[in-house]
Amino acid sequence: MINEIVKIIENSDTLIGDFNAICDTGGRFAGSPSEQLACEYLSSRLEAVTGITPTRAPVDYLGWLRGDAVLERVDGTDGTFPCVSLVRSPVTPPMGLIAELIDVGRGTEQEFSALSDNISGRIVLVRHEYMFATGTIHRRRKYQWAIEHGAIGFLIASHLPEVGPVTGSSGATPERGIPAIGISAETALNLTQDSSTKIRIRVDAKEMPRKTSNLILDLPGQEPEWVVLSAHIDGHHLAESAMDNATGLAAVLSVAAAMAPRMNRFRRGLRIALFTVEEWALAGSRVYVDGLSVSERQAIKLNLNLDSIAGSPNLTALSSDFPKLETWLLEHADAHGHNLGVHRPIMANSDHFNFARHGIPATRLVAGFNEYQSDIKYVLTPEDTRDKVVIGDLKRATCLTAALTAQACAADELELR
Ligand SMILES: [Zn+2]
């Protein structure tokens, strides 16, 4: 039965069509028409492949609409530099914010401490880094350290040449934040030529309460237990959010299509959960999992979350500190001929975290973990485009997802807590 599901996916040609169609919707920034378009497409495709209309589970969140961002030297030389405001950055006064720049290097806690006396009242510059690696320091932590040391503005530079400015979430809240801007590697070089550079930054944006929806679809099995297969819909405006996360969404559609007509043969049900506002500190999945009753959470035996599953041929499962889950993943990946890496420490970098936080065994499949040169390095840059995805890699990742999902739905016992 499990091999049959995998075979269907091997022989299906809808994966690529779905992947391209999702990329065609654009970057899917939350609150944009592109996100809406993607939501409509995914809803109609889920209905087409399963015969069931997905439920739109409402999510209220504080929307943020990006306006212009400007960065220039105060002396006016070099004109303005290309830049983008980070998601949910507070606005500056209309005329901008003028201050001296201070280069904090990579932006480690030690670097912030060493320069502590010089940070207050200045705009800090740190570097973005490869997102999926053991020692990655997330931009939101650097941003918090900048605030703690009294900085009044935050610049983060791409670590890659010739790809333009980097984006991402700032981690600002209405109560606590400083204006935050992503810049290119070249701009960082230019601004740090002199020992002291005075710059002006301006950020324009609008905040307003917004509503969006997660798409939830239940394919019941023989017993009232569930395996949740999830992926996030939203992305960033710079490109088409191809690796992050059109890859995961397309794979979910293929697995749903293969499983739906055969669910009466499976012990557990398959719940498809397409979350949005993931890039908003995982808001969509937080609202969903927090909103379940204790017994509903107990009925979920596994969350398999797909986020950026191609961009490298190598896949890693982030196993969220569940040793039994890790053993199970390795055993069944191997049984189906897949080489799977594992990383045990819990990582709050995608929707699986909100399941794990509630004690539900949850894992994220991600490509390129600890592979600094893989195309995954382009995530959050204008280069996150479909040409970075080798179709064979996406197909293999989808086959592994299908094998694990079908195995989890079929198993007599599935106690991975
Ligand atoms: Zn993602």
Side-chain angles (χ1 to χ4, degrees):
M1 185 161 60
I2 299 161
N3 287 330
E4 187 185 329
I5 299 286
V6 176
K7 268 262 146 8
I8 293 166
I9 288 175
E10 275 170 2
N11 297 326
S12 151
D13 50 14
T14 59
L15 178 68
I16 309 316
D18 281 326
F19 171 68
N20 282 321
I22 296 162
C23 289
D24 285 344
T25 64
R28 307 182 296 281
F29 189 70
S32 71
S34 164
E35 180 211 11
Q36 267 316 305
L37 202 63
C39 214
E40 296 308 321
Y41 176 80
L42 292 162
S43 177
S44 70
R45 282 291 292 142
L46 275 177
E47 182 164 353
V49 300
T50 65
I52 303 170
T53 311
T55 303
R56 292 181 188 229
V59 179
D60 292 311
Y61 71 107
L62 184 61
W64 181 91
L65 234 152
R66 182 180 270 111
D68 290 339
V70 175
L71 164 64
E72 60 189 2
R73 286 174 181 270
V74 165
D75 62 15
T77 55
D78 299 324
T80 60
F81 298 100
C83 64
V84 289
S85 45
L86 298 191
V87 180
R88 294 164 86 190
S89 165
V91 300
T92 57
M95 293 311 292
L97 199 65
I98 292 176
E100 214 165 280
L101 184 73
I102 177 156
D103 186 356
V104 190
R106 181 183 167 199
T108 64
E109 194 168 14
Q110 293 76 7
E111 284 168 310
F112 271 102
S113 297
L115 291 167
S116 188
D117 293 345
N118 303 315
I119 292 175
S120 183
R122 295 210 166 113
I123 296 170
V124 300
L125 167 63
V126 300
R127 305 304 181 289
H128 181 74
E129 51 194 276
Y130 191 76
M131 307 246 303
F132 309 121
T134 314
T136 300
I137 303 173
H138 199 281
R139 117 183 51 74
R140 288 196 292 268
R141 295 183 66 201
K142 301 178 183 186
Y143 182 74
Q144 287 306 324
W145 292 326
I147 294 173
E148 282 163 21
H149 288 279
I152 60 167
F154 180 85
L155 300 185
I156 186 163
S158 176
H159 61 315
L160 301 170
E162 291 170 27
V163 298
V166 68
T167 188
S169 59
S170 63
T173 62
E175 295 77 35
R176 184 175 156 90
I178 53 177
I181 285 181
I183 63 174
S184 68
E186 291 75 17
T187 298
L189 268 179
N190 182 309
L191 293 177
T192 51
Q193 278 165 10
D194 319 314
S195 57
S196 71
T197 306
K198 218 171 201 194
I199 58 171
R200 185 175 79 95
I201 61 172
R202 186 164 66 77
V203 172
D204 191 18
K206 268 200 180 65
E207 281 192 319
M208 74 297 291
R210 273 194 180 270
K211 285 183 190 307
T212 182
S213 335
N214 296 322
L215 295 177
I216 311 289
L217 187 143
D218 281 358
L219 301 168
Q222 297 155 359
E223 289 177 16
E225 292 185 348
W226 297 94
V227 171
V228 176
L229 179 62
S230 60
H232 71 84
I233 301 171
D234 63 314
H236 287 281
H237 75 298
L238 287 172
E240 51 192 22
S241 301
M243 290 178 284
D244 180 15
N245 184 30
T247 57
L249 292 166
V252 169
L253 289 176
S254 283
V255 175
M259 298 270 297
R262 297 164 184 83
M263 283 312 295
N264 59 354
R265 290 153 59 188
F266 285 94
R267 188 171 286 269
R268 274 168 215 94
L270 173 61
R271 179 172 298 159
I272 304 296
L274 303 184
F275 295 118
T276 191
V277 277
E278 190 265 356
E279 308 286 4
W280 251 247
L282 316 177
S285 56
R286 187 182 63 237
V287 168
Y288 174 76
V289 188
D290 287 356
L292 297 174
S293 68
V294 173
S295 62
E296 284 170 326
R297 288 201 281 265
Q298 222 123 50
I300 300 174
K301 295 298 165 186
L302 172 67
N303 166 232
L304 182 57
N305 180 48
L306 310 182
D307 193 350
S308 312
I309 59 166
S312 153
N314 304 311
L315 282 172
T316 297
L318 311 182
S319 55
S320 317
D321 226 351
F322 288 96
K324 276 191 203 166
L325 168 61
E326 195 173 289
T327 308
W328 184 89
L329 288 163
L330 287 172
E331 181 190 336
H332 294 289
D334 187 58
H336 288 273
H338 293 267
N339 216 334
L340 180 67
V342 285
H343 179 72
R344 190 175 292 181
I346 190 157
M347 295 193 94
N349 60 9
S350 189
D351 293 316
H352 64 291
F353 175 72
N354 282 317
F355 290 85
R357 189 168 64 78
H358 279 288
I360 300 167
T363 184
R364 170 187 181 173
L365 289 187
V366 60
F369 195 76
N370 280 337
E371 284 183 89
Y372 295 86
Q373 288 315 314
S374 75
D375 281 341
I376 286 286
K377 68 183 176 221
Y378 294 118
V379 164
L380 296 181
T381 79
E383 295 290 318
D384 184 2
T385 47
R386 66 190 84 183
D387 55 300
K388 307 299 181 308
V389 173
V390 175
I391 295 310
D393 291 347
L394 178 55
K395 190 113 193 188
R396 257 192 314 281
T398 308
C399 287
L400 171 61
T401 302
L404 295 173
T405 307
Q407 178 65 44
C409 289
D412 287 339
E413 279 280 315
L414 190 69
E415 204 37 83
L416 304 171
R417 280 172 167 82

